[in-house]
Amino acid sequence: TWGNLLESAMSCFPTLQFAHVQLYVNSTKTLEEYKKLEANYNTFVDAWASSGGADLAQGRAMFKEIVPNHTKSVEQYSSLNQDFIEQLIAGIGFRITAQHDGPNALSFLLTSKDPSGAPFLVTGPKQSSGPFHDKFDYFDRKHCTRHFAEHNNRQGVGVLAFKSLTEGGLIQLYQNYLEKHPNLLVFGGVREYPDPTLAGVSFKILEVAAFYRYDNGIRVDKPDMGTILRFVEEPTTGTFQNVILPGLESVPAEFGVATAAAYADHWVSNVHSRKDFLRVLEDVTGFVPKVDFNAGVVAAGEAIIESTVTGNTTSAGLATKQEALRDNSQIFLPINNALSEAGHVYLYLQEIGQGVQHIAVRVDDLCSTIQVANDIRNISGEGFSFLNIPRSYYGRLTAEDLVTVGASEKTAKAVVAQLQKAGLANAGGVVDLSITAEQIAALEVGEEFSKDFQANLAAIQSTVLRSRYVNMYKFLGDRFDEAAYLKIVRNQVLVDIQGQDVLFQIFTSCILQAEAHHEAPFLEFIERVCFPQTDVSGVVKPIKPGCGGFGIRNFLTLFLSIEVSKAMLEVDKARAEKNAAAEERAIKAVQLFTDQLDESNPILTAISDAMLAEAEAMEAADKTTDQNQIAKYQEMVAKFREAKERGQRDLQTCSDKYKQMMISVRLSAQ
């Protein structure tokens, strides 16, 4: 009975983990068409990998031979109006592993080569269908219609699904909603789908509205029907054991050799009130805030947001790197709201409404995964493109850098000038990635500086070569060799560090986007490199889920990169329209965002270091009973907290400075 099930729930909050996401799209192709695409890419990627995968021209010739009727142009590639299923297939090697061919909609389940990883369920309405409803309601086209109506006719992520590992967990969740947020129970209670072969066994589903509705910035006690939270509870036996959803029929799938296994890492939402959504999640699921990014940290020009990462508390200890990669137990849900009437988050809310900003997927080797994705796009004109990251994010060369390693000031300036004259560095000191030590040695610095140049040549060469990635090298050192660093830079991967853990991230251009000026969701790919830690006796500690954190540097870099990419589109648009004034303003905006990123980086480093030191001191204080030691650690906590707060004040000053500069650029158009 329901009463017995409620009593069997282990606590007020069931144990949850990531399950799947469901996207609603305008239309889909047939399974046959997608499977043909998969077969073509399997054949090509395997052949490309066997050839060493170095020459793009050779790759294009190979692809044309395998797919002679391919019509998409590499030169004309655009992220606009892409078939998201095709992007997953071509770009990162996902395959259709199940489908539901319903009376009025088609749904496809796409997974990486590990089906337990990060499942994407994509549903599109059939162009012609009868009046019949789907007995598996979550596949019915009415949900496409509802999603489009709530999101200004935009495609997007409509459902975030979580799996309960607690028997009776969905009943407990329902009770929590009933007691504290009944208006979000828009689809009734827990629905059961009986197993067709075993009596008394069923698959359970609870669906609720994620957010409250807002009218003119004021919350009303009505549900926002645009985004749904789905909770599922699988039976431990029978037909529905280990299935994503009842009604999905398995489809054979073959994966190419270069396909990476991918897993859910975090799901990000843009909302009107961050605090409201945090309260709902805490009341119903027990999720609590993990990280706060305040307004001083997250600002780009006039755009200002706040963000909080919330999630469950898991005691999981992971013994190996592979366990950490595959772990679904740690749920992270970053939540953003806008504090100014400018920028991506504000415009997203204005255009689309509250909803999912991006889905983050974790992989084992991010640089290799993105290298394949970039190669595929440059060979076939299909797959994903990624946000533009200013090269200065990774490092630049100054004359002072050369003086530091022994060159005279005049020699240093001559070297920089000759690098720029030879086209090996730009005016901002960004050095060409393909530069060689021989090219540096061949620089004509003039007789006056030749002796000093030759005497310090080895140091000059090393400094110039390292300048291409020096910002990363400063906090990662020799953990990576030059080839690895350059692979990061070439693929525009973001890098951050928390303690000894390293975080690699990259963000796609918008997905499901029809027009360049439309706001739209995107994907993130992430790799967490967990540094082995030992206790006092030398025993290796278990790996914590989510090691590497969220990258305070990268959080601001993402925000700025979104604005840089949009400004660069404005540059292209202005050039196409031959609007010189608009082009000049857009170029100034790109430069301002880039300058803000460069100026913010050392401040962010100081904040990050202080946050980590503060957390370590607090942890040390909690682990001792010695009052003298506790007092010492408390002093350290206060010291590092002050350093963190000082850094946040400095960052706020920096943000205010660029805000005023961006206002001046905007006003120049009036």
Side-chain angles (χ1 to χ4, degrees):
T1 67
W2 278 57
N4 290 336
L5 283 171
L6 187 56
E7 289 177 9
S8 70
M10 294 174 63
S11 69
C12 291
F13 307 116
T15 300
L16 300 174
Q17 67 179 33
F18 286 122
H20 61 272
V21 296
Q22 185 170 7
L23 298 90
Y24 296 116
V25 299
N26 292 332
S27 64
T28 66
K29 295 180 179 177
T30 66
L31 178 64
E32 182 181 13
E33 289 174 293
Y34 289 132
K35 283 298 174 183
K36 184 176 181 180
L37 184 71
E38 290 181 5
N40 287 339
Y41 273 103
N42 282 344
T43 302
F44 168 70
V45 171
D46 289 356
W48 175 243
S50 298
S51 73
D55 189 311
L56 291 178
Q58 178 189 7
R60 293 187 189 107
M62 291 171 60
F63 189 80
K64 189 68 176 177
E65 184 176 340
I66 293 168
V67 193
N69 59 347
H70 187 71
T71 58
K72 293 187 177 179
S73 166
V74 173
E75 293 75 19
Q76 295 179 357
Y77 172 88
S78 169
S79 61
L80 301 177
N81 295 301
Q82 291 277 349
D83 181 320
F84 181 62
I85 295 176
E86 290 184 345
Q87 284 187 287
L88 287 174
I89 291 170
I92 54 171
F94 272 43
R95 297 292 179 258
I96 295 174
T97 54
Q99 73 160 342
H100 177 79
D101 189 351
N104 55 36
L106 267 175
S107 296
F108 296 101
L109 180 70
L110 290 101
T111 70
S112 70
K113 63 183 180 182
D114 186 340
S116 68
F120 285 84
L121 185 60
V122 183
T123 298
K126 288 185 175 179
Q127 298 308 307
S128 59
S129 59
F132 304 106
H133 294 294
D134 202 312
K135 68 177 182 179
F136 299 103
D137 179 77
Y138 37 80
F139 291 128
D140 197 283
R141 73 176 292 162
K142 68 183 180 184
H143 296 298
C144 298
T145 303
R146 170 185 51 75
H147 178 86
F148 299 151
E150 293 285 335
H151 289 294
N152 196 21
N153 289 319
R154 304 286 178 84
Q155 306 172 96
V157 181
V159 179
L160 300 177
F162 305 90
K163 178 180 176 181
S164 171
L165 304 182
T166 304
E167 184 179 0
L170 266 59
I171 305 301
Q172 183 61 65
L173 287 169
Y174 173 75
Q175 188 69 26
N176 292 345
Y177 271 105
L178 197 61
E179 290 178 0
K180 297 186 177 180
H181 300 282
N183 289 342
L184 299 179
L185 288 167
V186 292
F187 299 113
V190 176
R191 300 199 305 272
E192 297 193 37
Y193 291 85
D195 189 292
T197 60
L198 290 175
V201 175
S202 64
F203 192 106
K204 300 177 179 63
I205 296 177
L206 173 66
E207 292 182 321
V208 301
F211 316 121
Y212 284 102
R213 183 174 295 281
Y214 279 75
D215 289 339
N216 298 318
I218 300 174
R219 190 187 113 173
V220 295
D221 285 329
K222 295 180 180 179
D224 181 325
M225 296 297 292
T227 305
I228 302 302
L229 300 184
R230 175 182 295 151
F231 302 95
V232 302
E233 188 176 325
E234 300 173 8
T236 57
T237 186
T239 306
F240 293 149
Q241 183 182 12
N242 298 323
V243 302
I244 300 294
L245 285 172
L248 283 171
E249 297 181 359
S250 295
V251 173
E254 295 183 10
F255 293 87
V257 293
T259 301
Y263 304 88
D265 192 87
H266 58 276
W267 300 336
V268 186
S269 298
N270 291 336
V271 300
H272 289 296
S273 171
R274 190 178 85 265
K275 292 181 179 179
D276 264 5
F277 190 34
L278 289 169
R279 187 178 301 111
V280 170
L281 291 173
E282 184 169 2
D283 287 346
V284 176
T285 66
F287 292 179
V288 293
K290 306 293 183 180
V291 183
D292 277 304
F293 296 99
N294 65 21
V297 173
V298 196
E302 295 181 81
I304 307 172
I305 71 168
E306 286 184 320
S307 184
T308 297
V309 181
T310 191
N312 61 342
T313 301
T314 175
S315 59
L318 308 167
T320 67
K321 177 182 177 181
Q322 282 303 308
E323 284 185 20
L325 173 67
R326 292 170 53 90
D327 178 62
N328 280 331
S329 68
Q330 179 61 68
I331 296 171
F332 286 128
L333 301 176
I335 304 164
N336 308 321
N337 61 235
L339 293 179
S340 67
E341 295 184 359
H344 158 73
V345 174
Y346 171 76
L347 292 174
Y348 191 105
L349 292 167
Q350 291 297 302
E351 286 184 26
I352 304 175
Q354 300 181 111
V356 178
Q357 181 207 53
H358 77 266
I359 299 296
V361 175
R362 189 170 61 248
V363 296
D364 181 51
D365 183 348
L366 181 63
C367 284
S368 294
T369 298
I370 301 308
Q371 184 68 66
V372 170
N374 283 328
D375 286 346
I376 288 291
R377 186 188 65 256
N378 289 323
I379 287 169
S380 70
E382 294 186 308
F384 293 104
S385 59
F386 301 91
L387 283 183
N388 290 297
I389 306 300
R391 270 287 312 280
S392 57
Y393 167 83
Y394 300 99
R396 63 170 73 194
L397 179 72
T398 66
E400 288 77 9
D401 297 330
L402 300 177
V403 172
T404 301
V405 297
S408 71
E409 183 177 348
K410 291 183 178 180
T411 300
K413 289 181 177 179
V415 170
V416 172
Q418 288 302 309
L419 285 169
Q420 293 172 353
K421 182 179 179 181
L424 296 172
N426 69 16
V430 174
V431 174
D432 189 274
L433 286 180
S434 61
I435 193 173
T436 64
E438 291 74 20
Q439 288 175 308
I440 299 168
L443 292 174
E444 298 179 359
V445 297
E447 290 186 19
E448 181 183 354
F449 311 118
S450 178
K451 184 176 180 180
D452 184 46
F453 177 66
Q454 293 299 326
N456 293 285
L457 180 58
I460 289 171
Q461 288 171 316
S462 176
T463 302
V464 172
L465 293 171
R466 185 173 290 165
S467 73
R468 298 169 295 176
Y469 53 84
V470 68
N471 290 348
M472 293 185 290
Y473 187 84
K474 286 176 182 177
F475 56 86
L476 291 174
D478 294 325
R479 287 183 64 174
F480 302 96
D481 60 21
E482 181 179 273
Y485 276 124
L486 291 180
K487 193 173 183 180
I488 292 168
V489 179
R490 284 196 177 94
N491 288 290
Q492 295 189 297
V493 171
L494 303 177
V495 183
D496 213 332
I497 188 168
Q498 187 176 76
Q500 294 296 311
D501 297 331
V502 181
L503 187 68
F504 294 120
Q505 296 168 280
I506 194 168
F507 303 89
T508 69
S509 303
C510 288
I511 59 171
L512 305 172
Q513 186 182 32
E515 301 287 344
H517 62 278
H518 285 179
E519 296 295 334
F522 52 92
L523 301 183
E524 173 185 351
F525 296 98
I526 187 169
E527 177 188 352
R528 298 182 181 275
V529 182
C530 308
F531 188 80
Q533 297 186 10
T534 57
D535 60 20
V536 291
S537 60
V539 176
V540 177
K541 295 180 180 179
I543 299 171
K544 291 182 179 180
C547 76
F550 279 86
I552 186 171
R553 300 175 188 86
N554 288 355
F555 200 94
L556 178 59
T557 303
L558 164 63
F559 196 40
L560 282 163
S561 297
I562 291 173
E563 302 305 326
V564 166
S565 295
K566 289 164 66 176
M568 291 176 74
L569 288 174
E570 290 299 318
V571 172
D572 293 339
K573 179 183 177 184
R575 284 175 179 166
E577 295 174 351
K578 301 187 184 309
N579 187 333
E583 179 183 349
E584 182 182 0
R585 287 193 301 274
I587 289 172
K588 286 181 179 178
V590 171
Q591 190 58 54
L592 283 177
F593 287 131
T594 302
D595 290 346
Q596 184 181 350
L597 177 61
D598 293 343
E599 193 170 324
S600 299
N601 255 331
I603 305 174
L604 288 165
T605 298
I607 294 173
S608 180
D609 291 346
M611 288 175 66
L612 178 63
E614 178 190 16
E616 289 178 343
M618 291 172 67
E619 183 178 359
D622 289 340
K623 289 182 177 179
T624 183
T625 57
D626 186 310
Q627 293 303 311
N628 291 329
Q629 289 292 312
I630 291 174
K632 183 185 79 170
Y633 287 128
Q634 287 175 340
E635 288 180 8
M636 293 171 64
V637 168
K639 171 188 172 184
F640 294 128
R641 184 169 294 159
E642 169 55 29
K644 176 186 70 176
E645 291 171 354
R646 183 169 58 252
Q648 289 175 336
R649 290 192 295 272
D650 291 343
L651 198 58
Q652 184 70 64
T653 301
C654 177
S655 298
D656 290 343
K657 167 186 169 182
Y658 283 95
K659 175 183 176 181
Q660 293 305 315
M661 294 171 74
M662 194 61 70
I663 289 173
S664 297
V665 171
R666 175 170 54 81
L667 292 178
S668 68
Q670 298 176 1

